[in-house]
Structures are given as C-alpha cells and as structure tokens.
Amino acid sequence: MQLSKSDYMLFLRHPAWLWLKKHAKHLLPPIDAALQARFDEGHAFESYAEALFPDLVRLGFSDFAGYQALTSQTLETWKNGASAVAQGRYEDGSITCISDIVSREGDGYVLTENKSGTSAKPEHTFDLAFQRVVLEGAGFPITRCEVSHVNREYVRDGEIDPQGLVGVTDITDDVAAQIDKTRSRIDQALSVVASNTMPDPAPERARLKSYSEWLDIRDKLDPPLAPDSIHRLPFMSAEKATALIEAGITTIDAINDPSALGKSTRRFLSARARGTRAVDQTALDRFLSEITYPVYYFDYETSQSLVPPWDGTRPYQQVPFQYSLHIQREPSGEVEHREYLHRDETNPMPALLERLRQDIGETGSVLVWYEAFEKTRNNEMAEAFPEYATFLNGLNARVIDLMKPFADETIMDPAFKGSASIKAVLPALLPELSYDDLDIREGASAARLWKEVTLTKPQTPERDKVYADLIEYCTRDTWAMVAIHGTLQAMSTVYRP
C-alpha cells in the first residue's frame, strides 16, 4: 500500500485520521455540498495558474486504471521534451504524489502548488516538502518550491487576467527546512497505515487547525468522550486543551484559572458558574436608550467567488445579493417588511442599492447583528458606487449592533454556550422561534445556493424553490432581531413595551 500526498496531510492533521481512512473509512464524514463547492472553485483556479506556463502539458486521470497508468504516462511526457507538466504522478517506492505543476529550470525542476487561498500557509510547506521527497526520489531534483495563490488585490476589468489573478510565493527555504522531518514523518505515517490498531484518537493531538473537525469524527469513536471533558468546552483548540492537560486538568470542573482560555470560552464558564441568566440592568437600559424610532431591523446576504464574476469586484469579495428589512415606526407599532433578492447574473449591487434607498428611511436606528459585517459591505459599495456614498455613510452612522449586549456580557446565559451569534442567542431567549423549519438555515448555504441557481446553473428547475427559501431564511434573520429587541425591552424596567 502506497502513501499519497493526501494520506500524508491527513496524518499531519491527526494520525488516527489516516488510520480511519485506511481501515474504517465509513466513520469519516462524506464530502458535503459546501466542501464540494470549494473543491470546484479550486479546480476553476487551476486553469488560471496553469495559464502562466504557455507550453504546459496537462495530464490527470478519470478512473482507477488511469491513475495506475499515470506514472508511466508522466515519465513518457517528460522524455518527449515537455517543459512543464500539470497533474503528473510521481512515485518513489511506497510514497507517491500527483503534483499540480512541475516545470524545468536549468538542470532541475520547479515545484508549483496551486492553492485557492490568498497566501502561502504553513500546511503548504508540509505539502510541498512531501512532494519534493517523492520527486527527488523519482529522479527529479527540485531547485525551487512555490505556491500559486489568489491575489486578493486583483480587480476584474473585462476578461480575467491570469497574471493579475494569480500571485506566486517562493517558499523554497521553508520547504528545505522541513525535509528531514518529512522523511521521519513519512516513516511514522507508513507505520500507522500498516498497523491493525488505531493510534490514540485524543483531540489534543489534532494539528493544522483541524481540532473542531476532528472532534466531530471523535464523537463517533469508542469510548466516547466524558460529558465533562474539557473537549466539550465551546471554542476550544488543540493548543489550549494541551495546556490544560499538561497542567493535569481534564475535566471542566477542575478549571480554576480560565485566564489562558479564549474570551468566548471564558464567557461560557462564567455563565455556567452562575447557573442562571444574569442581566446587567444598568448596561441594558443604557444600550436600549441608544435606539430611536423608527427602527429598521436589517440584514444582508452575500456571495463570494474566487474568480470575481463582475467588473470592479475582487476575489472573495462579499457581494450583497439580498437584504431583509423589518420596520417598526413606533414602540409597539405594527411591523412592516421589505426585501430584495437579485435574480439574474448581473452585478447585484446597483439594483440592490437603489431599492434599499427607497425602502429605508433617512432617520431612525438601523439594528443589525454584528455591525462590522454590514458596515464593511456598505463601505465597499460606497467606494465602488460613489453616487451612493452619502446614502451609505449616513446608513452606517445610524447602525446599532443588537449583538452588543450579548458580546459584552450585559446578558449572560449558559445556554448561549459562550457565543454571541444569533443562532446561539435566539433558541435560548425564544425557543419557539428557530430556523429548524427552514430548508436554508445558515448564511453559507444561502450564499452557495444563490450562486448556484443564479450564476452556475441558472436553468436548474430548483431555481424558484431556492429563491423562495432564500427569502424565507433572510426574513427569519430580521424577524429574529425584532423578537430579540422586544425581549430585551421586556427585561428592562425603563423600556418595557
């Protein structure tokens, strides 16, 4: 059995992860729609990175037989005088890899890894170090290692310019520093693959920011984690768990000094120690006093793309395509609703802004949840569409963050689990009002589905259903704010409706 590049990266994330892939794959989660969408965007980026090599020969495979034959096909391609090869396969005994791009440079070769992020990251060094070990063992001396990634500063103007979209970072020295460790880790990984016994699945052994994802897998393994395990704490990390364990702390109740933990985890522990909801009445009244009528409860839904779809936009720019707006013109007054959803492949921002200017008044508070997001979108649109700058700047000046009393611990409740997100606060304050009855329940799915039916597959028969679900989801977000604001007023001795 050979060790591939993906096997090696799994081993680095957690040794037990690799063992499960080889011996108990059914315990690993399947690729979901969101992850597949990220893969698809990454594949789309490859063509732009490959365009930087004009004489490149692209190989690859479509089935197992093609994979088996790919090594000999790759060697033959090089023998025929290729200057650059994409998706070729290389082998050195028990290790193998498919490399994104290998190109000739003098008497050696350059190894280029295509990544859909906006910079080179530490895990890319480990990835390229493994590939370098394989390629050099296969007779391809590597003179340079680099990562091609997305240039976040690129602004589309007409057809996509690969030279502008793709940035390249040389990490040759970083890779060289990892070679000896990589050879040792390869031996360890091969031992894991050959073993009949799973390595210790302890969550604190997770690396490369995979702690939360590994916890989801660990929950399927026996014996289960204890209910009071420190790994049950919200917003934990492998590093923080390791520090606790090294101090002899493995259970939540044994934590006497939470200062080394993150703010959200400390918030949860403080609320848990109180046992019941606590309200700072003075701070709550002060917050409510800032809100003036008419009140506009407002939320954007946004879409982002690796390859910017419209002129004037950047890679991964959060482009608003929808908003929901509930309006209450006076205390205890009727609540009105306005909404906008963009339904064609044009840039949604101009039409959205024009409608928003009609729907939202010039006075009164604009309540949002996590103001940094909405304000940043408004600032970006003001820059892109200066004719709306005065309107958007005025809008930002009226924004009040309804998340604030939950984030600054004006209101504390163990049921929030240390979070100030609306998805955590709503079921604790208003259990009868949730997202469980919706087909779209969170923003990432909303963004992915809108893009799919509007830009990628506009003829899909599910289009109208998705649009209806998007309206229902975004409406629920702002109605939840209406209800939460009302609940805060009911807690107050001054602003009770």
Side-chain angles (χ1 to χ4, degrees), residues 168-190:
V168 178
T169 300
D170 187 325
I171 60 170
T172 305
D173 292 343
D174 294 336
V175 171
Q178 285 292 326
I179 293 300
D180 289 341
K181 291 180 181 178
T182 301
R183 296 185 192 280
S184 175
R185 290 170 181 150
I186 287 172
D187 290 339
Q188 295 169 29
L190 287 169

Side-chain angles (χ1 to χ4, degrees), residues 4-37:
S4 69
K5 180 178 71 170
S6 61
D7 293 337
Y8 178 70
M9 295 306 294
L10 271 187
F11 170 79
L12 293 186
R13 297 179 85 188
H14 198 299
W17 210 325
L18 172 60
W19 189 91
L20 288 172
K21 178 186 175 183
K22 298 300 184 180
H23 298 276
K25 197 170 184 178
H26 65 282
L27 294 174
L28 297 180
I31 294 175
D32 61 18
L35 183 57
Q36 186 59 55

Side-chain angles (χ1 to χ4, degrees), residues 54-69:
D55 298 322
L56 178 140
V57 178
R58 194 175 207 284
L59 300 178
F61 65 97
S62 59
D63 53 28
F64 183 70
Y67 175 75
Q68 291 293 89

Side-chain angles (χ1 to χ4, degrees), residues 104-119:
R104 291 187 190 270
E105 183 177 70
D107 294 331
Y109 297 83
V110 176
L111 189 53
T112 304
E113 181 72 4
N114 301 329
K115 295 297 183 183
S116 58
T118 57
S119 63

Side-chain angles (χ1 to χ4, degrees), residues 461-474:
E462 290 81 23
R463 180 184 173 108
D464 289 342
K465 170 68 165 57
V466 169
Y467 285 156
D469 291 342
L470 285 166
I471 290 172
E472 194 173 13
Y473 167 71
C474 197

Side-chain angles (χ1 to χ4, degrees), residues 90-394:
Y90 307 86
E91 293 183 77
D92 178 29
S94 57
I95 54 178
T96 183
C97 67
I98 293 177
S99 294
D100 287 341
I101 301 173
V102 180
S103 56
R104 291 187 190 270
E105 183 177 70
D107 294 331
Y109 297 83
V110 176
L111 189 53
T112 304
E113 181 72 4
N114 301 329
K115 295 297 183 183
S116 58
T118 57
S119 63
K121 297 179 173 61
E123 58 264 33
H124 303 159
T125 300
F126 305 139
D127 188 327
L128 282 164
F130 179 86
Q131 292 183 63
R132 178 175 164 180
V133 170
V134 175
L135 266 75
E136 292 191 334
F140 292 82
I142 302 301
T143 57
R144 189 165 80 253
C145 294
E146 61 189 23
V147 176
S148 66
H149 52 79
V150 180
N151 173 18
R152 70 166 70 240
E153 303 303 322
Y154 172 70
V155 178
R156 180 168 184 167
D157 183 13
E159 292 297 314
I160 296 294
D161 173 20
Q163 295 281 352
L165 177 66
V166 181
V168 178
T169 300
D170 187 325
I171 60 170
T172 305
D173 292 343
D174 294 336
V175 171
Q178 285 292 326
I179 293 300
D180 289 341
K181 291 180 181 178
T182 301
R183 296 185 192 280
S184 175
R185 290 170 181 150
I186 287 172
D187 290 339
Q188 295 169 29
L190 287 169
S191 296
V192 166
V193 170
S195 175
N196 291 322
T197 303
M198 182 175 64
D200 180 2
E204 68 271 16
R205 299 188 69 195
R207 294 294 180 266
L208 302 181
K209 299 180 180 179
S210 67
Y211 178 82
S212 295
E213 192 176 353
W214 175 251
L215 269 181
D216 291 339
I217 298 171
R218 176 65 184 83
D219 276 340
K220 300 177 182 179
L221 306 179
D222 290 324
L225 290 172
D228 62 346
S229 166
I230 58 171
H231 299 298
R232 301 290 186 190
L233 285 169
F235 303 99
M236 281 291 284
S237 67
E239 293 74 20
K240 291 182 175 64
T242 297
L244 289 175
I245 291 167
E246 288 177 348
I249 298 170
T250 60
T251 62
I252 296 174
D253 288 337
I255 299 174
N256 295 318
D257 178 11
S259 60
L261 301 176
K263 180 179 180 180
S264 295
T265 308
R266 296 197 307 271
R267 184 189 297 138
F268 167 75
L269 288 171
S270 179
R272 181 176 180 268
R274 289 176 179 267
T276 59
R277 183 177 301 160
V279 179
D280 182 332
Q281 199 68 57
T282 301
L284 176 60
D285 290 344
R286 184 167 54 247
F287 170 77
L288 292 172
S289 72
E290 299 172 1
I291 300 172
T292 59
Y293 285 83
V295 176
Y296 299 86
Y297 304 87
F298 182 65
D299 180 58
Y300 283 130
E301 297 301 329
T302 63
S303 174
Q304 60 175 347
S305 300
L306 186 160
V307 179
W310 306 285
D311 285 357
T313 58
R314 302 183 308 278
Y316 295 121
Q317 180 177 338
Q318 295 276 8
V319 175
F321 64 84
Q322 179 183 13
Y323 67 75
S324 176
L325 181 67
H326 277 94
I327 307 168
Q328 190 172 37
R329 301 194 181 278
E330 58 186 11
S332 302
E334 293 295 319
V335 179
E336 309 165 29
H337 183 246
R338 304 282 188 275
E339 56 90 12
Y340 178 82
L341 174 63
H342 199 70
R343 299 171 185 256
D344 64 53
E345 62 185 9
T346 61
N347 188 332
M349 291 185 285
L352 178 146
L353 285 170
E354 187 57 35
R355 177 70 67 80
L356 180 59
R357 187 157 59 179
Q358 297 170 19
D359 284 347
I360 201 164
E362 297 180 356
T363 61
S365 297
V366 178
L367 295 191
V368 302
W369 202 279
Y370 186 54
E371 65 180 338
F373 184 81
E374 264 75 19
K375 282 186 171 182
T376 300
R377 304 292 77 77
N378 289 339
N379 289 337
E380 291 168 346
M381 290 191 289
E383 183 178 353
F385 302 97
E387 63 271 29
Y388 292 97
T390 299
F391 161 67
L392 289 167
N393 291 335

